[in-house]
mmCIF file with all atom_site columns, all heavy atoms in Angstrom:
data_model
loop_
_atom_site.group_PDB
_atom_site.id
_atom_site.type_symbol
_atom_site.label_atom_id
_atom_site.label_alt_id
_atom_site.label_comp_id
_atom_site.label_asym_id
_atom_site.label_entity_id
_atom_site.label_seq_id
_atom_site.pdbx_PDB_ins_code
_atom_site.Cartn_x
_atom_site.Cartn_y
_atom_site.Cartn_z
_atom_site.occupancy
_atom_site.B_iso_or_equiv
_atom_site.pdbx_formal_charge
_atom_site.auth_seq_id
_atom_site.auth_comp_id
_atom_site.auth_asym_id
_atom_site.auth_atom_id
_atom_site.pdbx_PDB_model_num
ATOM 1  N N   . THR A 1 103 ? 50.341 118.748 56.939 1.00 91.00 ? 103 THR A N   1
ATOM 2  C CA  . THR A 1 103 ? 50.567 120.207 56.883 1.00 91.00 ? 103 THR A CA  1
ATOM 3  C C   . THR A 1 103 ? 51.619 120.556 55.836 1.00 91.00 ? 103 THR A C   1
ATOM 4  O O   . THR A 1 103 ? 51.575 121.634 55.249 1.00 91.00 ? 103 THR A O   1
ATOM 5  C CB  . THR A 1 103 ? 51.005 120.751 58.252 1.00 91.00 ? 103 THR A CB  1
ATOM 6  O OG1 . THR A 1 103 ? 52.156 120.018 58.694 1.00 91.00 ? 103 THR A OG1 1
ATOM 7  C CG2 . THR A 1 103 ? 49.908 120.599 59.282 1.00 91.00 ? 103 THR A CG2 1
ATOM 8  N N   . ILE A 1 104 ? 52.561 119.656 55.618 1.00 93.00 ? 104 ILE A N   1
ATOM 9  C CA  . ILE A 1 104 ? 53.585 119.870 54.577 1.00 93.00 ? 104 ILE A CA  1
ATOM 10 C C   . ILE A 1 104 ? 53.528 118.669 53.642 1.00 93.00 ? 104 ILE A C   1
ATOM 11 O O   . ILE A 1 104 ? 54.052 117.602 53.939 1.00 93.00 ? 104 ILE A O   1
ATOM 12 C CB  . ILE A 1 104 ? 54.998 120.023 55.199 1.00 93.00 ? 104 ILE A CB  1
ATOM 13 C CG1 . ILE A 1 104 ? 55.017 121.202 56.163 1.00 93.00 ? 104 ILE A CG1 1
ATOM 14 C CG2 . ILE A 1 104 ? 56.052 120.204 54.102 1.00 93.00 ? 104 ILE A CG2 1
ATOM 15 C CD1 . ILE A 1 104 ? 56.299 121.343 56.960 1.00 93.00 ? 104 ILE A CD1 1
ATOM 16 N N   . LYS A 1 105 ? 52.865 118.869 52.512 1.00 93.00 ? 105 LYS A N   1
ATOM 17 C CA  . LYS A 1 105 ? 52.629 117.732 51.613 1.00 93.00 ? 105 LYS A CA  1
ATOM 18 C C   . LYS A 1 105 ? 53.755 117.542 50.608 1.00 93.00 ? 105 LYS A C   1
ATOM 19 O O   . LYS A 1 105 ? 54.049 116.423 50.215 1.00 93.00 ? 105 LYS A O   1
ATOM 20 C CB  . LYS A 1 105 ? 51.295 117.929 50.890 1.00 93.00 ? 105 LYS A CB  1
ATOM 21 C CG  . LYS A 1 105 ? 50.123 117.900 51.874 1.00 93.00 ? 105 LYS A CG  1
ATOM 22 C CD  . LYS A 1 105 ? 48.780 117.918 51.202 1.00 93.00 ? 105 LYS A CD  1
ATOM 23 C CE  . LYS A 1 105 ? 47.679 117.807 52.248 1.00 93.00 ? 105 LYS A CE  1
ATOM 24 N NZ  . LYS A 1 105 ? 46.338 117.870 51.690 1.00 93.00 ? 105 LYS A NZ  1
ATOM 25 N N   . LYS A 1 106 ? 54.383 118.633 50.205 1.00 95.00 ? 106 LYS A N   1
ATOM 26 C CA  . LYS A 1 106 ? 55.478 118.532 49.245 1.00 95.00 ? 106 LYS A CA  1
ATOM 27 C C   . LYS A 1 106 ? 56.791 118.647 50.008 1.00 95.00 ? 106 LYS A C   1
ATOM 28 O O   . LYS A 1 106 ? 56.966 119.565 50.798 1.00 95.00 ? 106 LYS A O   1
ATOM 29 C CB  . LYS A 1 106 ? 55.361 119.658 48.219 1.00 95.00 ? 106 LYS A CB  1
ATOM 30 C CG  . LYS A 1 106 ? 56.336 119.549 47.081 1.00 95.00 ? 106 LYS A CG  1
ATOM 31 C CD  . LYS A 1 106 ? 56.100 120.660 46.071 1.00 95.00 ? 106 LYS A CD  1
ATOM 32 C CE  . LYS A 1 106 ? 57.140 120.571 44.962 1.00 95.00 ? 106 LYS A CE  1
ATOM 33 N NZ  . LYS A 1 106 ? 57.013 121.691 44.008 1.00 95.00 ? 106 LYS A NZ  1
ATOM 34 N N   . PRO A 1 107 ? 57.719 117.697 49.821 1.00 96.00 ? 107 PRO A N   1
ATOM 35 C CA  . PRO A 1 107 ? 58.973 117.738 50.582 1.00 96.00 ? 107 PRO A CA  1
ATOM 36 C C   . PRO A 1 107 ? 59.713 119.072 50.444 1.00 96.00 ? 107 PRO A C   1
ATOM 37 O O   . PRO A 1 107 ? 59.852 119.595 49.336 1.00 96.00 ? 107 PRO A O   1
ATOM 38 C CB  . PRO A 1 107 ? 59.791 116.599 49.967 1.00 96.00 ? 107 PRO A CB  1
ATOM 39 C CG  . PRO A 1 107 ? 58.774 115.653 49.426 1.00 96.00 ? 107 PRO A CG  1
ATOM 40 C CD  . PRO A 1 107 ? 57.649 116.520 48.938 1.00 96.00 ? 107 PRO A CD  1
ATOM 41 N N   . ILE A 1 108 ? 60.136 119.615 51.587 1.00 97.00 ? 108 ILE A N   1
ATOM 42 C CA  . ILE A 1 108 ? 60.836 120.896 51.589 1.00 97.00 ? 108 ILE A CA  1
ATOM 43 C C   . ILE A 1 108 ? 62.240 120.727 52.166 1.00 97.00 ? 108 ILE A C   1
ATOM 44 O O   . ILE A 1 108 ? 62.478 119.866 53.010 1.00 97.00 ? 108 ILE A O   1
ATOM 45 C CB  . ILE A 1 108 ? 60.067 121.968 52.415 1.00 97.00 ? 108 ILE A CB  1
ATOM 46 C CG1 . ILE A 1 108 ? 59.844 121.473 53.863 1.00 97.00 ? 108 ILE A CG1 1
ATOM 47 C CG2 . ILE A 1 108 ? 58.744 122.310 51.750 1.00 97.00 ? 108 ILE A CG2 1
ATOM 48 C CD1 . ILE A 1 108 ? 59.286 122.540 54.801 1.00 97.00 ? 108 ILE A CD1 1
#
Side-chain angles (χ1 to χ4, degrees):
T103 55
I104 301 173
K105 295 187 177 178
K106 187 177 177 184
I108 57 171

